[in-house]
Amino acid sequence: MFFSAPKDNRFKQVSTLVVKVTHRCNLDCQYCYEFITQKGEDMSEQTFRQLADRVLENSEQKVITFLFHGGEPTLIANSWYEQGINYVLKKAKQKQQEIRFSMQTNLIHLPDEKIQLFKTYNIQPGVSLDGTADAPDSMRGRESRVFQNFLKLKQAGISCGILTTINHSNYQRFEQICKFLVEQAQVHHFKANVVTSVGAGYNLAGLKAEQIFEAQRAILEYMIETKGQKLTEHNLVTEIERFFTSAEDQHTLPPTLCHEKQCGAGKSVLGVTPKGELLPCGRFQWNDTDYFLGDIHTKRSASTFQQLEEKVDSFHTLVPESWYDCDQCPAQKICMYGCQAFIVRSKNKANVDCLPTKMRFAYYEANRTRLWPVYKAITAQKQGMLPFRIKSGNGHKQYVLHPANQTAYVMAD
């Protein structure tokens, strides 16, 4: 009699893996949420294959994203990615799973062979760009070089997402940043995340709520001025949709990984360290042992899964004072509740998004009429981004293509 191996339930709901392929980097950003060095450990090919085995054999999700992260993932050789990606695609074919690959990079290191890698495997790159190309006082630095490599990707026909941090050096400059993104970078959508005092930036003074709101209001004013036709910001788009959606229709909005009171950390998303240890999400450091959820090398039995689930649930309830007045707060309708990983890792254990959220809600209430054209533009753009399927010239690889940005993701055959 044959017996099937017991399921490893840690991966049952997983749809996103933040794969920290290295904890070395070619930059030394003041506010990095990890402690990164120029010399550090890389993930072995064997560890990545074990990760693929665990996830693809146990996840019940039909679409799984591998997000290559770090450290700086472009420091890893092309041969590593080629072998790893081909292994994933071959394995996924057996279960008819759709696989997407992306990479978050500082774009300092971009040889031609990396561009070819992105094109061959349809890896969707995302780049951190904290200001205009000539920003002399960027906390990160090297913006000019990053922008030149961004243009290099664009010229090669590769769509690249933009992530901008809101920090002490740029929070007053977001009107200029918005114009720069539209006029010079020629992008129509970006994401702006608030820097939190964790990792290398643990001792940095946190931004005040008024400073955070100043940056976000500048973005909103640009979106209003251009009626949402030229540039939109990911987090604000989610809020605007929630603001204009009636309470009884809130359930029709698509769920998110991060923007919920209990986010997907530890369930639908996992972080993976170079050694193969599991973390609730990618916003933990590679060596945050207090939050490890085991590793990929050890198979988990059904009897130990309950303990693991309890550990994930307890993580979500840490620092409960961050949500002490949520049920009575008028801004609850748009609230994204802050990042639990950053809250528990920060010195003050503070939800830095709480007060700015209340300020934005008051702004939305006061500017409802002005925001309406932006909301209509957002919904129209989303309706125009319904995916359709195509096959490559040889009939083997299949893709999902989004008409709005011409981004294609590799699927299993």
Side-chain angles (χ1 to χ4, degrees), residues 48 58 66 195 244 298 307:
F48 183 72
N58 294 283
F66 286 78
V195 161
F244 282 106
T298 306
Q307 296 175 343

Short mmCIF file of all heavy atoms in Angstrom, two decimals, residues 48 58 66 195 244 298 307:
data_model
loop_
_atom_site.label_atom_id
_atom_site.label_comp_id
_atom_site.label_asym_id
_atom_site.label_seq_id
_atom_site.Cartn_x
_atom_site.Cartn_y
_atom_site.Cartn_z
N PHE A 48 17.35 27.01 -2.59
CA PHE A 48 16.26 27.55 -3.40
C PHE A 48 15.41 26.42 -3.97
O PHE A 48 14.18 26.52 -4.02
CB PHE A 48 16.79 28.44 -4.52
CG PHE A 48 15.70 29.07 -5.34
CD1 PHE A 48 14.93 30.09 -4.81
CD2 PHE A 48 15.42 28.61 -6.62
CE1 PHE A 48 13.90 30.66 -5.55
CE2 PHE A 48 14.39 29.17 -7.36
CZ PHE A 48 13.63 30.20 -6.82
N ASN A 58 2.96 22.03 -1.69
CA ASN A 58 2.02 22.18 -0.58
C ASN A 58 1.05 23.36 -0.71
O ASN A 58 -0.01 23.34 -0.09
CB ASN A 58 2.79 22.33 0.74
CG ASN A 58 3.55 21.08 1.12
OD1 ASN A 58 2.98 20.12 1.61
ND2 ASN A 58 4.87 21.09 0.90
N PHE A 66 7.38 34.64 -6.79
CA PHE A 66 8.70 34.60 -6.17
C PHE A 66 9.30 35.99 -6.34
O PHE A 66 9.63 36.40 -7.45
CB PHE A 66 9.60 33.57 -6.85
CG PHE A 66 9.26 32.14 -6.54
CD1 PHE A 66 8.18 31.51 -7.16
CD2 PHE A 66 10.02 31.41 -5.62
CE1 PHE A 66 7.87 30.19 -6.88
CE2 PHE A 66 9.71 30.08 -5.34
CZ PHE A 66 8.63 29.47 -5.97
N VAL A 195 9.49 55.75 5.70
CA VAL A 195 10.65 55.15 6.38
C VAL A 195 10.33 55.00 7.87
O VAL A 195 9.78 55.90 8.50
CB VAL A 195 11.90 56.04 6.20
CG1 VAL A 195 12.96 55.70 7.24
CG2 VAL A 195 12.47 55.85 4.80
N PHE A 244 -14.50 55.92 -1.24
CA PHE A 244 -15.68 56.11 -2.08
C PHE A 244 -16.55 54.86 -2.20
O PHE A 244 -17.60 54.90 -2.83
CB PHE A 244 -15.26 56.58 -3.49
CG PHE A 244 -14.91 58.04 -3.56
CD1 PHE A 244 -13.59 58.44 -3.67
CD2 PHE A 244 -15.90 59.01 -3.49
CE1 PHE A 244 -13.26 59.80 -3.73
CE2 PHE A 244 -15.59 60.36 -3.54
CZ PHE A 244 -14.27 60.76 -3.66
N THR A 298 13.39 21.31 7.22
CA THR A 298 12.72 20.38 8.13
C THR A 298 11.24 20.31 7.78
O THR A 298 10.55 21.34 7.79
CB THR A 298 12.86 20.84 9.60
OG1 THR A 298 14.25 21.03 9.89
CG2 THR A 298 12.26 19.81 10.54
N GLN A 307 1.00 24.63 16.63
CA GLN A 307 1.91 25.50 17.36
C GLN A 307 2.41 26.64 16.46
O GLN A 307 2.53 27.78 16.90
CB GLN A 307 3.10 24.68 17.87
CG GLN A 307 2.73 23.62 18.89
CD GLN A 307 3.93 22.77 19.28
OE1 GLN A 307 4.94 22.75 18.59
NE2 GLN A 307 3.81 22.05 20.38
#
